[in-house]
Amino acid sequence: MNSPAKIISIPKIILLPLFLGLVAMAWSIRLAWDRPVLLAAMTVFIIAMSASALALGRWCNRRFKEIATEEIKMERRQAELDRQHSLSLLHAALDATIDGVIVLGTDGKIINYNRQFAEMWKIPPQILATWSGAKVLENMCGMMSNPEEFLRRTGEMDDKCVLCGYHNCEDCKAITEMTLLQDGRVIEYCSRPLVVEEKPAGRVWSFHDITPQRLAHRALQETNEQLEAASSRANEMALKAEMASIAKSQFLANMSHEIRTPMNGIIGMTSLLMQTDLTPEQKQFTQLLKNSGESLLALINDILDFSKIEAHKLTLEKLDFNLRETMEEAAELLALKATEKNLELACLIPPEVPLLLRGDALRLRQIFINLAGNAIKFTAEGSVVIAAQVVSSDENIAGLKFTVTDTGIGIPKDRQQFLFNSFTQVDGSTTRKFGGTGLGLAISKQLAEMMGGQIGLESEPGEGTQFWFTVALEKSEVKIKKPSAPACSVLVVENHKVTRAGITQMLAAVGCNFAVAESLSELDTVLARRAATGDPFQVVLLGDLPGLAGFPAHARENPRDRGVKFVKVAPFGRRSAPEELTRDGFDAQLNVPFRLAQLEACLARALQGENFATAFIEKVSVSAINLRILVVDDNNTNLIVVSKILEKLGHNPVSVAGGADAIKSLQRPDFDLVLMDCQMPEMDGYEATRRIRAGDAGEHSTKIPIIALTANVLAADQQRCITAGMDGYLGKPIQIEELKAVLGRWQTRTQKIGQLAEIPQQQKIYAPEFFSATGRAVFNRADLMNRMLDDMEMATLTALAFVEDLPRQLAAIKSAADQNDCAAINSCAHRLKGAAGTLGGDALYYLLGELEHAGKNQDLPTVKKISAQLDAESAALVKALQAEILDATPDAFGVPFAEKV
């Protein structure tokens, strides 16, 4: 290529004439300005200029042609370079793909191919060098398992393209097929026509080795088949496991029945035997027998609870309850054991702890009993304290922490981490001093976690132990006024620190003004100092102090103390006779740990000026009302035990050995109640109950209260009793107090009204005044008043809140039923059921229980059926509440509460 300087340079030969002309003209001007000479010079100059211009033009023309030719050559060379570069890029791109690609022209010649194609089909270089598509195709067919199919398919592709004129229609677009090679590889190929300027130019073929994918797919299929087989085996195993679980549950139920049946005889007969005249040695042996039986029963309960937890069959109830009552019940159950070891036992509940909660009070009490029972077992002297505190709280949920603190032997650090494991004890040796299964703490841990909490301990050997657990409980929607004793001033004289703390905390809870003293000598000083102020103490609570006998009587000799009421505070189980209390000058006696309600009643009666040496606010025994009770059981021992207990309670039992005999006996209309065993041959208790409700024993017996009396303790068994139409549930072995409570809740109206009228008002047992068509009590006043601690104002406020909220609750259930919303039905029925149960609305409670069960099981027909019955049952309960509670309780202006509803 010429440089720009070379292209524009003009040859000197072209400039020479011009130069000579300029010289001639310049010479003529210098020599003389002669006109002829000048004209000649100018002529020469013009001729020279013309010659130069002509030469320059010819030269420029020649040079322009040379330049144009050079540019054309340069463009061609550049185009060739670009083409070579594009081809190189195309080859590189084809070689970079994972697919083998070959492009064939319409004449069958190879236009292009890539390295992967040659390697995939193992085509020799000499064949590729011929650029013959036919030879390449021949080589490819030689490697295929079914070349005929390949040729047929490619022929069909070409035919379609010919028919459509290669217009890239749907028929000649890319078509993907697969072919199997003889070496086992699977090749997927795709072909589509190559069209240039709307004219066919050939075909483009791409080949992809999908052997790994096919192998993976085959492996996946095999894996899926294996998974399906495994799933099938798992389903079979699950079915077997479910059947095993059912068998296990049935085994547990049968085991419970078989063990509890003889246990019922042992414990029941032992209790009856202890009420007879025995020598001291016989009484000791009998008490040992009774204690052993109760220990065995506790072991059975632990094993059953643990089995239910392990099988995830244990469910927690969610009912309204009073936390103080639950803690006090636990302490009361353990009080005798603590007294036997001379231990202090107290419950501490600060005022900020919410008392009205929703949850499973029975399981919460079980944790208290497990932990406090262990504390008593491993404590030789000192105290055991059950305490509660708030760790978090909002409008709906209370986070509570409970502690059980003892002064016992403590637990080594290296054993603490194993304590909550099943069947684990601190001392697992055969020479251990303390017995037990090691299940109590494991069960407590599971229960605490089910309640949304945790459990743990802090302990040092020789310094005692503090077990703690947390729970998250709903706050109850029931808003009731906390009961309180009349304002009074109380002096607590107690030298035991724990007992003193428990009593003073109760006094603070009821709003009493109190002071403390630790000895009798200090007592006299405090009494004198307080009397000097003109505001003497009204009540003195005296602990079990040295020199206590006769002290109150001696104190009353001083006119200063004659108006003071003295209450003896003694350990649980060490109760003085009324005449002994009167002789020593005491007005009443309380046994620690006593309940807050007992303290309130004691103070109230003391301020009324009553002498109540027994000081227990006890309801009249069921024996005050004689009932004719049909006892149905196939076990003769059980019949004897239950009948004897009923006779001791003042009732008239009649025994029969089966369901058919029960139906026959009930044809007589003089029975008040039935105690029905569930598991009997020929006709069990469930079938007998259903027939009685259907009228097989006569119309008069369809409404008779039937109480299940069975050794089966699983939740499913209890639900089965309710479904069969029974009104209550009493487990074996029979506990006398539980039997008395059940009988007290199911008094009939026949011939009992006169006897009820003779009972003092504050000790009266209320009978159900209304019965529904199902035979269940519409309103169980006794149940309500027991729950309200016989506080009529509390019962009235609770009933009023229920009646006011009932329409909204029923509307929510009706709306959910109309929308077929079973989940909402389940929730609404559960909520209203709890409120109905709190009010003693047994019939509505059980009806809502059936509705809740139907909603949970998506049983819409039953939901519709029960929903239609709710209005009538609810109206009956409201009517009963108005007649028994609201109308009977006027407000400060004398207006019955019912008129405000």
Side-chain angles (χ1 to χ4, degrees):
M1 182 181 295
N2 295 325
S3 65
K6 186 175 181 181
I7 292 175
I8 64 174
S9 64
I10 301 174
K12 296 177 182 179
I13 189 69
I14 297 174
L15 300 177
L16 181 59
L18 180 60
F19 175 75
L20 292 176
L22 289 175
V23 171
M25 190 164 183
W27 175 78
S28 64
I29 294 172
R30 184 176 181 184
L31 291 180
W33 293 94
D34 188 20
R35 184 176 180 87
V37 175
L38 182 60
L39 288 173
M42 290 181 63
T43 301
V44 172
F45 175 75
I46 291 170
I47 294 171
M49 285 294 293
S50 297
S52 296
L54 181 61
L56 180 61
R58 291 176 178 174
W59 178 83
C60 287
N61 185 43
R62 186 174 63 253
R63 289 304 299 160
F64 286 151
K65 289 181 178 179
E66 291 175 357
I67 291 172
T69 301
E70 287 293 331
E71 288 179 350
I72 291 172
K73 291 180 179 180
M74 289 174 60
E75 289 176 357
R76 289 177 177 174
R77 283 196 296 270
Q78 187 62 42
E80 180 64 21
L81 290 174
D82 291 342
R83 190 180 71 82
Q84 293 295 333
H85 182 65
S86 297
L87 289 175
S88 297
L89 289 177
L90 177 59
H91 283 295
L94 288 175
D95 287 340
T97 63
I98 61 173
D99 294 343
V101 179
I102 184 171
V103 183
L104 298 176
T106 55
D107 56 358
K109 293 291 185 180
I110 298 174
I111 298 175
N112 206 344
Y113 67 91
N114 67 353
R115 175 174 49 83
Q116 285 78 6
F117 174 78
E119 293 175 352
M120 182 183 298
W121 291 100
K122 302 178 182 178
I123 300 175
Q126 57 271 24
I127 293 178
L128 291 171
T130 65
W131 297 93
S132 172
K135 292 183 178 181
V136 170
L137 179 60
E138 183 182 355
N139 187 86
M140 293 169 58
C141 289
M143 298 180 63
M144 296 179 187
S145 297
N146 189 357
E148 293 80 8
E149 178 65 18
F150 175 77
L151 293 173
R152 185 184 65 80
R153 291 293 297 136
T154 56
E156 289 177 355
M157 295 178 193
D158 287 334
D159 293 343
K160 290 178 180 179
C161 291
V162 171
L163 290 174
C164 73
Y166 292 92
H167 287 107
N168 201 23
C169 66
E170 291 296 328
D171 289 334
C172 65
K173 282 186 177 180
I175 300 173
T176 302
E177 297 287 346
M178 287 186 298
T179 184
L180 177 64
L181 303 190
Q182 295 176 7
D183 59 6
R185 288 182 297 155
V186 180
I187 303 298
E188 182 181 72
Y189 60 92
C190 176
S191 174
R192 69 180 304 159
L194 178 65
V195 180
V196 179
E197 296 179 355
E198 298 185 357
K199 294 181 180 180
R203 295 194 74 89
V204 179
W205 294 81
S206 64
F207 300 88
H208 182 65
D209 188 350
I210 61 171
T211 306
Q213 291 92 320
R214 296 288 293 181
L215 292 175
H217 180 69
R218 185 181 303 168
L220 180 60
Q221 283 184 324
E222 293 176 355
T223 302
N224 286 337
E225 291 172 357
Q226 293 173 359
L227 287 175
E228 289 178 1
S231 177
S232 178
R233 289 194 300 272
N235 289 335
E236 292 177 3
M237 294 174 66
L239 181 60
K240 292 179 179 179
E242 184 177 357
M243 294 175 64
S245 177
I246 294 173
K248 176 183 176 182
S249 299
Q250 188 62 45
F251 169 75
L252 288 174
N254 292 336
M255 182 189 72
S256 171
H257 180 83
E258 295 302 325
I259 295 179
R260 286 170 178 269
T261 296
M263 288 299 301
N264 182 51
I266 294 171
I267 296 177
M269 295 304 290
T270 304
S271 298
L272 293 173
L273 182 61
M274 292 184 67
Q275 297 179 27
T276 63
D277 293 331
L278 300 174
T279 65
E281 185 179 32
Q282 290 172 333
K283 185 168 291 187
Q284 180 184 2
F285 293 162
T286 307
Q287 183 63 53
L288 180 61
L289 178 62
K290 185 173 184 292
N291 292 344
S292 299
E294 291 175 348
S295 297
L296 180 57
L297 181 61
L299 173 60
I300 295 170
N301 290 335
D302 278 350
I303 294 174
L304 289 174
D305 279 346
F306 181 73
S307 299
K308 286 188 283 185
I309 292 174
E310 288 290 296
H312 304 288
K313 296 293 185 181
L314 184 68
T315 57
L316 298 181
E317 292 187 347
K318 189 175 287 187
L319 301 174
D320 296 321
F321 72 96
N322 187 304
L323 178 62
R324 179 181 291 279
E325 290 179 3
T326 301
M327 295 179 66
E328 289 175 345
E329 286 173 3
E332 202 171 65
L333 290 171
L334 296 169
L336 188 59
K337 292 182 179 179
T339 300
E340 290 172 352
K341 299 184 71 171
N342 291 320
L343 300 176
E344 293 183 80
L345 177 62
C347 288
L348 302 181
I349 307 175
E352 66 272 12
V353 174
L355 299 179
L356 300 177
L357 302 168
R358 283 180 60 79
D360 196 327
L362 181 64
R363 295 302 178 182
L364 186 62
R365 186 183 71 177
Q366 184 176 357
I367 301 177
F368 290 138
I369 292 174
N370 283 343
L371 298 183
N374 274 350
I376 292 172
K377 181 194 299 186
F378 294 101
T379 302
E381 59 181 10
S383 62
V384 174
V385 179
I386 307 172
Q389 66 185 79
V390 180
V391 293
S392 64
S393 181
D394 58 30
E395 293 183 359
N396 301 316
I397 303 295
L400 304 178
K401 180 179 181 179
F402 301 98
T403 58
V404 177
T405 308
D406 64 56
T407 56
I409 59 176
I411 301 171
K413 293 288 186 182
D414 61 342
R415 298 295 300 167
Q416 293 180 13
Q417 59 180 323
F418 305 109
L419 274 184
F420 297 103
N421 295 340
S422 307
F423 307 103
T424 300
Q425 294 180 314
V426 174
D427 181 7
S429 66
T430 57
T431 59
R432 64 179 185 267
K433 178 180 178 181
F434 304 99
T437 62
L439 285 177
L441 291 179
I443 293 172
S444 298
K445 179 178 184 294
Q446 296 283 352
L447 291 176
E449 291 174 350
M450 290 175 69
M451 294 182 189
Q454 298 177 316
I455 195 169
L457 76 151
E458 299 172 5
S459 180
E460 291 291 339
E463 297 183 10
T465 302
Q466 182 182 84
F467 279 91
W468 59 265
F469 70 96
T470 59
V471 296
L473 297 173
E474 291 183 20
K475 295 181 179 179
S476 174
E477 297 179 0
V478 178
K479 304 298 181 183
I480 63 174
K481 179 182 176 182
K482 294 183 179 180
S484 60
C488 62
S489 57
V490 180
L491 176 61
V492 181
V493 187
E494 177 61 68
N495 61 348
H496 296 99
K497 181 179 178 180
V498 170
T499 302
R500 185 169 66 246
I503 295 174
T504 55
Q505 197 174 79
M506 285 187 180
L507 291 171
V510 298
C512 289
N513 176 23
F514 63 88
V516 296
E518 297 184 12
S519 64
L520 292 178
S521 58
E522 188 179 352
L523 164 64
D524 190 65
T525 304
V526 174
L527 285 175
R529 188 185 309 124
R530 185 62 177 262
T533 64
D535 183 22
F537 288 106
Q538 296 168 281
V539 179
V540 175
L541 301 180
L542 282 170
D544 194 10
L545 303 170
L548 182 63
F551 179 85
H554 175 71
R556 283 203 175 91
E557 295 177 0
N558 188 335
R560 177 196 69 192
D561 300 328
R562 285 177 183 172
V564 178
K565 299 293 184 181
F566 289 93
V567 179
K568 183 177 182 180
V569 180
F572 192 88
R574 298 177 184 174
R575 187 163 185 79
S576 302
E579 56 273 12
E580 182 182 350
L581 291 173
T582 302
R583 184 190 67 230
D584 290 340
F586 286 103
D587 298 278
Q589 176 175 260
L590 289 171
N591 289 86
V592 290
F594 49 79
R595 300 190 181 203
L596 180 65
Q598 293 173 331
L599 175 63
E600 290 174 321
C602 178
L603 295 177
R605 295 176 68 179
L607 295 178
Q608 292 173 4
E610 299 182 28
N611 184 294
F612 52 112
T614 56
F616 272 120
I617 313 305
E618 297 174 326
K619 292 184 175 65
V620 65
S621 170
V622 177
S623 60
I625 304 172
N626 180 271
L627 296 175
R628 184 170 173 82
I629 301 173
L630 180 64
V631 184
V632 187
D633 201 312
D634 63 313
N635 185 284
N636 189 53
T637 300
N638 288 339
L639 287 175
I640 294 173
V641 170
V642 176
S643 297
K644 290 296 182 182
I645 291 176
L646 291 173
E647 289 175 359
K648 288 285 185 180
L649 293 176
H651 299 296
N652 180 18
V654 175
S655 302
V656 294
D661 293 337
I663 294 174
K664 184 176 180 180
S665 298
L666 286 175
Q667 292 176 358
R668 298 173 52 186
D670 55 349
F671 286 100
D672 301 314
L673 185 139
V674 179
L675 295 179
M676 178 78 74
D677 185 30
C678 292
Q679 191 168 326
M680 296 182 292
E682 297 183 4
M683 184 186 295
D684 60 23
Y686 307 113
E687 179 63 23
T689 300
R690 282 190 287 268
R691 294 194 181 185
I692 292 169
R693 295 297 183 223
D696 287 11
E699 185 64 26
H700 60 275
S701 296
T702 58
K703 300 179 181 180
I704 190 170
I706 301 177
I707 308 300
L709 188 62
T710 179
N712 295 334
V713 295
L714 302 179
D717 299 308
Q718 299 179 28
Q719 183 60 43
R720 189 178 177 189
C721 293
I722 295 171
T723 304
M726 297 182 183
D727 301 287
Y729 181 93
L730 194 61
K732 297 178 184 177
I734 294 174
Q735 302 295 327
I736 295 179
E737 292 303 318
E738 293 181 6
L739 177 61
K740 288 168 63 178
V742 168
L743 296 178
R745 286 197 296 268
W746 291 102
Q747 301 293 334
T748 63
R749 301 184 69 187
T750 57
Q751 81 249 14
K752 306 297 184 294
I753 304 298
Q755 292 171 311
L756 282 171
E758 298 173 0
I759 303 172
Q761 180 66 28
Q762 70 272 15
Q763 299 179 0
K764 177 179 175 181
I765 290 184
Y766 300 94
E769 297 296 331
F770 301 88
F771 286 86
S772 71
T774 63
R776 297 187 179 93
V778 170
F779 173 51
N780 192 330
R781 184 171 181 176
D783 203 21
L784 173 63
M785 297 310 295
N786 283 338
R787 192 172 286 109
M788 298 295 110
L789 302 175
D790 283 330
D791 188 325
M792 194 62 179
E793 181 182 1
M794 188 192 311
T796 301
L797 293 173
T798 305
L800 184 60
F802 173 81
V803 172
E804 289 176 343
D805 192 51
L806 182 60
R808 182 185 65 82
Q809 301 262 27
L810 292 175
I813 292 176
K814 185 177 184 300
S815 174
D818 291 341
Q819 298 173 17
N820 296 332
D821 188 349
C822 289
I825 282 285
N826 182 43
S827 175
C828 294
H830 180 81
R831 190 181 304 112
L832 183 57
K833 183 184 75 171
T838 300
L839 266 294
D842 293 345
L844 181 59
Y845 175 89
Y846 283 107
L847 187 63
L848 288 165
E850 293 175 2
L851 180 61
E852 179 185 9
H853 182 70
K856 184 177 181 181
N857 291 331
Q858 307 284 319
D859 186 357
L860 284 173
T862 304
V863 165
K864 300 288 186 182
K865 178 181 176 182
I866 297 176
S867 298
Q869 303 173 23
L870 283 180
D871 287 342
E873 206 69 69
S874 301
L877 177 57
V878 171
K879 180 180 178 182
L881 289 172
Q882 289 174 338
E884 293 294 305
I885 302 295
L886 299 179
D887 283 342
T889 311
D891 65 5
F893 299 98
V895 179
F897 277 99
E899 295 183 10
K900 301 180 180 181
V901 179

